[in-house]
Amino acid sequence: MEGKLNTSPMIAIISRLRKFRNVRVITMPANVGDDGIIDGSSNIFSLPVENWPVVQFLVCFYSGGFDLRCAQEYVKLRQPMCINSVLNQHDLLDRRVVYTMLTEAGIPTATYRVYNDPSDENTDFMELLHNTSPHEDDDPSDLALLEIDEDELLDQLLENKSRVLAQHPKGDPLQETEDTITVGDHTFRKPFVEKPIYSENHNVCIYYPSSSGGGCKVLFRKVKDRSSRFFPKINIVRRGASYIYEEYIPTNGADIKVYTVGPQYAHAEARKSPTVDGRVKRGNDGKEVRYPVILTAIEKEIASKITEKFGQNICGFDLLRTDEASYVCDVNGWAFVKGSPKYYSDCATLLFEMFEFNLHPGLDQFSMATLLTQANEDLIDQNSELLQPSRELRNVLAVIRHGDRTPKEKVKVKISHPAVLNLFKGQNPSKQVKLKSVTELKALKKIVKEILSAEETKAPNSPKLEPNVEAGLREIDEVLHHSHFHGINRKCQIKPLKWVHSEEDDSMQVTLSLLIFKHGGVLTDLGCVQASALGKMYRHRQYPADALSMLSLHSTNAHDLKIYASDEGRVQMTAAHFCRSFLDLEEGAITPILFALVWHDQRSNMLLEHSVADSERMKKVKQQLTGILNTDVDINTLDHNSEFAGFPVHLLEKLGLDKIGNPYAHATRVYETIKKVCAQMEEDLHKPQHYPPLKRVYTLWKKICTLMFDTKTRAFDESKFPEILDCARHDMLHHHESGIPFWAVFEQVEPLAKWLVRHEYGITEGSKEEIGMEICEPLATKLLNDLVQMSRFRKQVSTTSRFYFTSESHMQALLNLLQQHLHLTSQTTPTTLNYLSQIVLKMYELNNKPIDSEDRFEVELWISEGADPHIPLIMTTPTPSSSSSSSSSSSSTATSAYTPSSSSTSYSSSSSTVQVPPMAKSTSAPCNCGGVGQLQPPASATAAERSVLAAFHRLTFFTKMSLQQLLLSFPQIKATGTQTKTIHPFWASQGSY
């Protein structure tokens, strides 16, 4: 109790109050004598309230050990004017009461439900407060959460759950499943939040979905530099006490603390949320670093309602701010700003006004509104003294491809088995069924196992499986059996193919379906290092030299940051690793960062993963590419004005096909090389000691070899060549120790595969435009809208950053649109978009131009091809390459990559010694702005990050123009800066995002 009175903020406020004439301040609980005279002999709570000093105005607040009931007796006896209602303060001890009062006042809260455990039925919170020791820094109870062994904690939770369930023979009162919990009439899906009902218990838990790895984050009062801890194994809720459960509201990694002094004064600060990495960022004075926030009109109204509803003039509350609304998640009672002399003066002045208003009800010359207006004028005067630079960075918009991944694999089977068709029950039979969650994948595993078991035992009435169907189901069973159930890495789609009409219930029933099981495509360790290195480089190279403090937090009046990702696991993980380095967050669990800082909801997916692979335009282009690929003619032997596979030769030459020559012959050479590689792997597998992952690698390459070429029609499948490039690149980096010359496949397939990928999204200018808009119109609209919004509302925030993480399809389609609309030549723009490739728009405000000039805002376009696969990369634990070395690392967790010298490197194999040619160096144009890809990486970069950055193509400047010129280049996109019906229909329905 004495601790709170003796804090520097309280001392500062009291010292200012004492400067007002006719104000005498008595601090209680001061030590007083038996006669009530302050002399330091005993504690005030040892005396009857009749002996307490008589005051006109009372500032009273509780903490651990405080006898609130005794203070209430004093108020009833003496009836002083209470700055904070003492008779209502017990309401703040019970979060259930707080949430009820917030709802009654019309103050937004997250959707919540209360679970009342019988053990808490008669809890007296005022008595509990009285018997609690005052909170101290590094409290032992909080310290225990940092030190406890996770397995020990899990055992305690399981024991409590068993005990509680034994007391409820009729079933679980919380109806807890792997990813949900049902409280009363509402089911919460993870992530959700669990709060103790006693407000002085700050141990709040956040539970994450199994599809993202699961786990639980426990928040607690600050212990040294920690405010939370992540437990990856904890996936069950606490039992044996009452809790409030509420939906998790993403706030982009920032908490807002609001401090009121009466209904018309509110000061707000942002801090890094403990849900991010749990590290408390402190300044040189040892205090937590916070940043000023400007409250909206609605948030100011919320502050006013809270002071009036709870009767607490000086109080604090926590605000969760989203683009759609702001929600109150906690009301703290007495709280004040730390380290702000202006706040201390304002608080003392406003307290004096309250005294004067109470004594002289007709007094109005000390209006709070006048004081606030004066405060705002002072702030404006201070800002007006600052000199504005002639060119200020306003926007950084980057569209970024995901990092290095394992090969994507896909199993397709046409199946009519009833167990699979039953999945369409209760759903629209014309729409596909998607299975991605852990529960859904486990159900699929059970179905597949039952079908295969029936086939093996030749069960009666069980449909006979075709050989290809059985083989496909066995592959699915093997993947599901040997893999962890993370839906973020695999999914299944079941598409209806045939239907019949059921007379029984007048409905359509599916009779044949196409089961598509996708797995692989997982971000590798190398991909994680790539993303972290790029985030660090952006932090140190993309912003002004004095901007690091701005980047320490976001969503403030200095920096507004949002990071978006599609629903692909590799994309989300890339975004999270990038974000952690970009914001200089602590190394550790990635799941909390993903949920706190990366937007990956349905709206983000509409921006970044809107698939048009089945569109008629895409099908037509694929047919055209198949025709080109299977034309066994060297284009260089044809007349310039003749045709090649239905296209003018001069057009295909312009597109670079002349560098391929004969595409069919080139594809044949790739095919023959793959057959030789497969033969070598097959021979090595017969050896007693071979490279451990080789069987799995061989299976994938054998499958590719079978599917890429139809031996009956003698035709190649063009869709397999990008897949071959990805597999060769992956195995070249992650399985070099096998001695298999994957580099030979890579070198052979690279030019042909890159040409096909580049034109999958349009061959002619017209098809590039149509497909580009089909894929990227929402994203292009959002990018232009980001720029316009900043140009119109620039005074609200200094700099806006938006990072959009996506896949190759969106990158290539967007690049096509930029080439078309900005008249960039194909000779100058990138020929390929590797992992971590980037398309960046940077907008500057030119302060030397008139405020209404069309040239006031200037936009620059920068592009990087990303990580160059020709340059060897070193993983987190670099080891020298050796022809005799071996590794047991899997394809997704390889720990090193080969590092050939400037001369050739040899690999020993069973049949020959293969020479690896020296790796080519990047030929990207140098960056002339000090951007990403400098040969001098940030000083904070690790050795692995430095190696990775050395393999990145530099971010290269391409063009600049005024914002108005850019908007005129896209006449079909109406970017207004506000979300209205004039822009793309998707955004018109979403509000600010």
Side-chain angles (χ1 to χ4, degrees):
M1 293 177 288
E2 292 286 355
K4 273 204 169 185
L5 283 171
N6 293 325
T7 59
S8 56
M10 197 67 204
I11 292 172
I13 293 170
I14 291 174
S15 65
R16 283 163 171 77
L17 267 177
R18 284 180 167 142
K19 292 180 181 178
F20 288 103
R21 189 176 56 179
N22 300 328
V23 174
R24 182 188 177 209
V25 179
I26 300 174
T27 58
M28 299 186 293
N31 290 331
V32 298
D34 292 340
D35 56 359
I37 298 174
I38 300 173
D39 64 0
S41 61
S42 62
N43 188 282
I44 194 170
F45 286 113
S46 65
L47 301 175
V49 295
E50 291 83 2
N51 291 359
W52 288 16
V54 178
V55 296
Q56 292 173 295
F57 305 99
L58 180 65
V59 175
C60 177
F61 50 89
Y62 64 78
S63 63
F66 188 80
D67 192 344
L68 183 57
R69 190 171 277 111
C70 195
Q72 289 177 341
E73 291 177 10
Y74 173 81
V75 170
K76 292 175 184 176
L77 175 67
R78 301 299 184 189
Q79 297 186 352
M81 179 216 170
C82 294
I83 301 301
N84 282 18
S85 173
V86 177
L87 301 180
N88 291 344
Q89 282 189 29
H90 61 273
D91 292 335
L92 297 171
L93 295 172
D94 191 337
R95 285 194 173 101
R96 295 170 298 186
V97 177
V98 170
Y99 272 62
T100 299
M101 293 176 70
L102 289 171
T103 302
E104 290 173 351
I107 297 170
T109 62
T111 300
Y112 74 95
R113 293 294 185 274
V114 178
Y115 170 69
N116 289 305
D117 192 84
S119 63
D120 291 322
E121 189 173 349
N122 299 314
T123 301
D124 184 335
F125 289 116
M126 287 199 288
E127 188 64 25
L128 186 61
L129 176 73
H130 188 201
N131 294 328
T132 302
S133 300
H135 175 76
E136 297 178 0
D137 291 340
D138 301 340
D139 189 277
S141 62
D142 295 325
L143 194 60
L145 281 171
L146 277 179
E147 297 174 346
I148 190 171
D149 178 73
E150 183 173 10
D151 290 329
E152 179 185 343
L153 178 60
L154 181 58
D155 289 341
Q156 293 176 9
L157 291 170
L158 289 170
E159 183 180 340
N160 281 343
K161 182 175 182 178
S162 299
R163 178 176 52 79
V164 170
L165 291 182
Q167 298 169 359
H168 294 83
K170 294 183 179 180
D172 186 356
L174 284 175
Q175 300 177 49
E176 183 180 8
T177 69
E178 191 166 37
D179 279 318
T180 67
I181 188 170
T182 300
V183 186
D185 61 348
H186 189 83
T187 297
F188 294 93
R189 297 194 65 83
K190 292 180 180 178
F192 59 74
V193 182
E194 176 189 72
K195 296 179 178 179
I197 58 171
Y198 181 44
S199 66
E200 289 296 285
N201 184 342
H202 295 265
N203 296 337
V204 174
C205 291
I206 301 172
Y207 299 92
Y208 298 99
S210 56
S211 61
S212 297
C216 169
K217 188 113 183 179
V218 181
L219 317 185
F220 43 78
R221 278 179 163 163
K222 293 185 281 288
V223 178
K224 297 182 173 65
D225 65 340
R226 306 296 305 176
S227 60
S228 68
R229 180 182 171 187
F230 181 68
F231 295 92
K233 299 179 185 178
I234 304 296
N235 291 294
I236 58 173
V237 300
R238 294 175 287 186
R239 302 294 184 128
S242 299
Y243 293 100
I244 291 177
Y245 292 93
E246 65 180 53
E247 65 174 328
Y248 175 84
I249 296 179
T251 59
N252 215 30
D255 282 352
I256 296 179
K257 299 282 187 181
V258 183
Y259 303 90
T260 68
V261 184
Q264 300 300 319
Y265 184 100
H267 173 95
E269 297 177 337
R271 64 165 186 173
K272 182 176 67 176
S273 172
T275 62
V276 180
D277 63 349
R279 185 185 68 178
V280 179
K281 187 174 180 63
R282 299 186 185 275
N284 295 331
D285 58 358
K287 299 185 183 300
E288 184 178 30
V289 175
R290 298 189 177 186
Y291 302 84
V293 170
I294 300 172
L295 293 176
T296 66
I298 293 176
E299 290 167 345
K300 291 175 183 176
E301 183 182 357
I302 289 173
S304 179
K305 285 182 177 180
I306 285 177
T307 60
E308 293 174 353
K309 180 66 179 179
F310 290 87
Q312 310 295 307
N313 279 300
I314 298 181
C315 74
F317 63 91
D318 295 345
L319 202 63
L320 303 177
R321 177 188 281 178
T322 71
D323 283 336
E324 288 78 21
S326 294
Y327 305 87
V328 175
C329 63
D330 202 7
V331 179
N332 309 124
W334 182 275
F336 32 57
V337 181
K338 300 173 180 65
S340 174
K342 183 179 184 304
Y343 168 83
Y344 303 149
S345 298
D346 290 345
C347 185
T349 302
L350 292 172
L351 284 172
F352 179 72
E353 288 179 13
M354 293 178 198
F355 304 157
E356 291 294 323
F357 275 128
N358 182 264
L359 293 172
H360 310 285
L363 191 66
D364 62 4
Q365 66 266 36
F366 296 110
S367 165
M368 290 186 193
T370 302
L371 286 177
L372 288 175
T373 301
Q374 181 61 47
N376 287 334
E377 288 174 355
D378 291 344
L379 185 62
I380 293 171
D381 290 342
Q382 292 170 20
N383 289 339
S384 64
E385 295 175 2
L386 300 176
L387 294 176
Q388 280 190 313
S390 60
R391 192 170 185 259
E392 288 185 90
L393 179 64
R394 292 301 189 191
N395 272 84
V396 177
L397 310 178
V399 184
I400 304 174
R401 190 185 173 192
H402 59 76
D404 180 71
R405 59 163 172 79
T406 61
K408 290 190 289 186
E409 300 184 57
K410 186 186 297 184
V411 183
K412 286 186 178 182
V413 291
K414 290 183 179 179
I415 188 165
S416 56
H417 197 285
V420 175
L421 300 182
N422 284 339
L423 295 170
F424 287 97
K425 283 188 176 179
Q427 305 208 33
N428 186 338
S430 65
K431 292 188 175 181
Q432 67 179 3
V433 173
K434 291 184 178 181
L435 309 175
K436 189 171 182 180
S437 71
V438 172
T439 303
E440 291 167 341
L441 290 174
K442 284 184 175 178
L444 175 66
K445 178 183 177 182
K446 183 179 179 182
I447 290 171
V448 170
K449 191 166 285 296
E450 288 174 353
I451 294 174
L452 292 174
S453 178
E455 181 71 13
E456 290 171 358
T457 59
K458 295 183 170 41
N461 303 322
S462 177
K464 176 71 176 173
L465 296 179
E466 295 292 330
N468 64 319
V469 174
E470 183 179 356
L473 292 178
R474 291 199 181 281
E475 184 177 345
I476 294 171
D477 180 60
E478 183 183 355
V479 173
L480 291 175
H481 180 72
H482 291 100
S483 303
H484 294 294
F485 277 99
H486 289 173
I488 198 168
N489 295 329
R490 56 189 57 82
K491 60 184 176 183
C492 180
Q493 300 164 271
I494 308 174
K495 298 182 178 181
L497 296 180
K498 292 182 180 179
W499 303 261
V500 295
H501 182 265
S502 172
E503 300 287 347
E504 192 175 316
D505 57 0
D506 192 29
S507 65
M508 298 299 293
Q509 294 184 353
V510 181
T511 59
L512 181 65
S513 65
L514 176 64
L515 190 153
I516 307 171
F517 183 76
K518 299 178 180 179
H519 61 104
V522 182
L523 192 71
T524 64
D525 289 348
L526 172 59
C528 297
V529 177
Q530 286 175 333
S532 295
L534 189 65
K536 200 165 287 187
M537 185 62 83
Y538 265 66
R539 176 178 178 81
H540 290 274
R541 295 285 187 267
Q542 282 295 339
Y543 296 85
D546 60 350
L548 284 185
S549 61
M550 174 189 82
L551 298 178
S552 297
L553 195 67
H554 37 282
S555 298
T556 67
N557 57 321
H559 187 213
D560 179 18
L561 167 72
K562 284 190 176 67
I563 298 175
Y564 303 88
S566 69
D567 71 349
E568 293 290 349
R570 57 185 168 274
V571 177
Q572 294 179 17
M573 290 296 108
T574 300
H577 281 280
F578 173 94
C579 176
R580 181 164 64 185
S581 281
F582 178 71
L583 292 175
D584 194 27
L585 303 177
E586 186 171 279
E587 294 290 326
I590 206 71
T591 300
I593 292 175
L594 175 63
F595 276 90
L597 292 168
V598 179
W599 295 70
H600 54 281
D601 55 6
Q602 183 182 3
R603 291 178 292 183
S604 299
N605 205 48
M606 284 289 290
L607 272 180
L608 302 167
E609 192 62 34
H610 186 52
S611 175
V612 293
D614 295 330
S615 74
E616 292 304 316
R617 293 189 181 97
M618 288 287 287
K619 287 179 180 177
K620 182 179 178 181
V621 170
K622 286 182 180 293
Q623 290 171 358
Q624 293 169 336
L625 290 175
T626 298
I628 293 172
L629 178 64
N630 287 287
T631 300
D632 191 7
V633 176
D634 189 336
I635 193 172
N636 295 304
T637 64
L638 300 179
D639 183 80
H640 186 68
N641 295 315
S642 60
E643 285 195 349
F644 185 99
F647 289 92
V649 169
H650 63 82
L651 170 63
L652 296 179
E653 287 177 337
K654 182 180 178 182
L655 298 177
L657 190 62
D658 55 323
K659 295 180 177 64
I660 303 295
N662 184 329
Y664 188 84
H666 195 125
T668 302
R669 290 194 294 272
V670 173
Y671 180 53
E672 294 299 327
T673 304
I674 292 176
K675 286 200 296 184
K676 290 179 182 178
V677 166
C678 287
Q680 182 175 329
M681 284 191 280
E682 192 170 349
E683 187 176 339
D684 283 1
L685 283 170
H686 286 93
K687 294 181 176 181
Q689 293 192 0
H690 58 261
Y691 181 61
L694 190 59
K695 184 177 180 181
R696 174 68 180 153
V697 176
Y698 167 74
T699 301
L700 177 58
W701 277 104
K702 191 67 178 176
K703 184 178 179 181
I704 289 172
C705 191
T706 302
L707 296 176
M708 71 178 289
F709 182 65
D710 189 327
T711 55
K712 293 180 181 179
T713 63
R714 310 296 296 175
F716 288 100
D717 182 349
E718 67 84 21
S719 67
K720 293 300 172 186
F721 285 80
E723 185 180 327
I724 294 168
L725 180 67
D726 287 343
C727 290
R729 172 169 44 202
H730 175 270
D731 292 346
M732 182 176 69
L733 292 172
H734 299 277
H735 294 304
H736 63 280
E737 293 173 329
S738 66
I740 305 299
F742 296 112
W743 63 266
V745 181
F746 180 84
E747 294 288 340
Q748 189 76 256
V749 76
E750 184 185 30
L752 180 59
K754 284 185 175 181
W755 192 91
L756 291 170
V757 168
R758 207 158 56 243
H759 298 98
E760 270 186 338
Y761 307 97
I763 299 174
T764 66
E765 289 190 2
S767 61
K768 287 181 180 180
E769 171 72 17
E770 291 171 350
I771 293 173
M773 291 300 290
E774 196 170 14
I775 294 176
C776 275
E777 185 179 5
L779 178 58
T781 301
K782 181 68 166 60
L783 291 170
L784 294 179
N785 212 56
D786 288 339
L787 296 172
V788 173
Q789 194 170 38
M790 185 62 188
S791 71
R792 293 188 176 180
F793 305 106
R794 60 190 182 280
K795 296 304 179 186
Q796 295 182 10
V797 66
S798 175
T799 303
T800 295
S801 297
R802 298 287 184 265
F803 299 113
Y804 301 91
F805 286 84
T806 186
S807 56
E808 185 179 29
S809 60
H810 269 62
M811 296 290 294
Q812 191 63 59
L814 180 61
L815 182 60
N816 285 347
L817 286 180
L818 292 171
Q819 285 177 326
Q820 297 282 103
H821 290 264
L822 302 184
H823 308 294
L824 305 176
T825 63
S826 57
Q827 286 75 26
T828 59
T829 49
T831 57
T832 187
L833 294 168
N834 299 309
Y835 296 137
L836 271 304
S837 51
Q838 310 130 57
I839 298 174
V840 180
L841 294 171
K842 299 176 74 173
M843 186 173 78
Y844 293 87
E845 183 172 7
L846 308 181
N847 294 315
N848 55 357
K849 300 285 185 181
I851 194 73
D852 57 350
S853 170
E854 292 184 352
D855 298 326
R856 176 83 177 184
F857 292 92
E858 184 176 77
V859 181
E860 296 179 349
L861 172 65
W862 299 77
I863 302 175
S864 167
E865 293 186 23
D868 189 338
H870 292 89
I871 301 178
L873 307 177
I874 298 176
M875 293 296 291
T876 52
T877 53
T879 55
S881 178
S882 170
S883 60
S884 61
S885 64
S886 63
S887 170
S888 60
S889 60
S890 69
S891 62
S892 61
T893 58
T895 57
S896 65
Y898 71 111
T899 314
S901 63
S902 57
S903 59
S904 62
T905 302
S906 297
Y907 286 107
S908 297
S909 67
S910 57
S911 57
S912 63
T913 299
V914 184
Q915 294 295 319
V916 179
M919 292 295 176
K921 293 186 177 180
S922 170
T923 56
S924 296
C927 171
N928 58 10
C929 75
V932 175
Q934 288 289 325
L935 294 179
Q936 295 81 25
S940 58
T942 65
E945 289 170 342
R946 289 172 181 270
S947 299
V948 165
L949 288 172
F952 266 69
H953 283 275
R954 297 176 179 180
L955 197 64
T956 305
F957 172 77
F958 277 88
T959 187
K960 67 179 177 180
M961 69 210 74
S962 71
L963 174 59
Q964 186 64 23
Q965 288 174 320
L966 179 62
L967 297 176
L968 291 175
S969 299
F970 290 86
Q972 69 274 59
I973 296 178
K974 305 298 181 185
T976 64
T978 56
Q979 313 304 331
T980 69
K981 294 181 179 179
T982 60
I983 64 170
H984 189 270
F986 169 72
W987 291 107
S989 64
Q990 299 304 320
S992 176
Y993 188 52

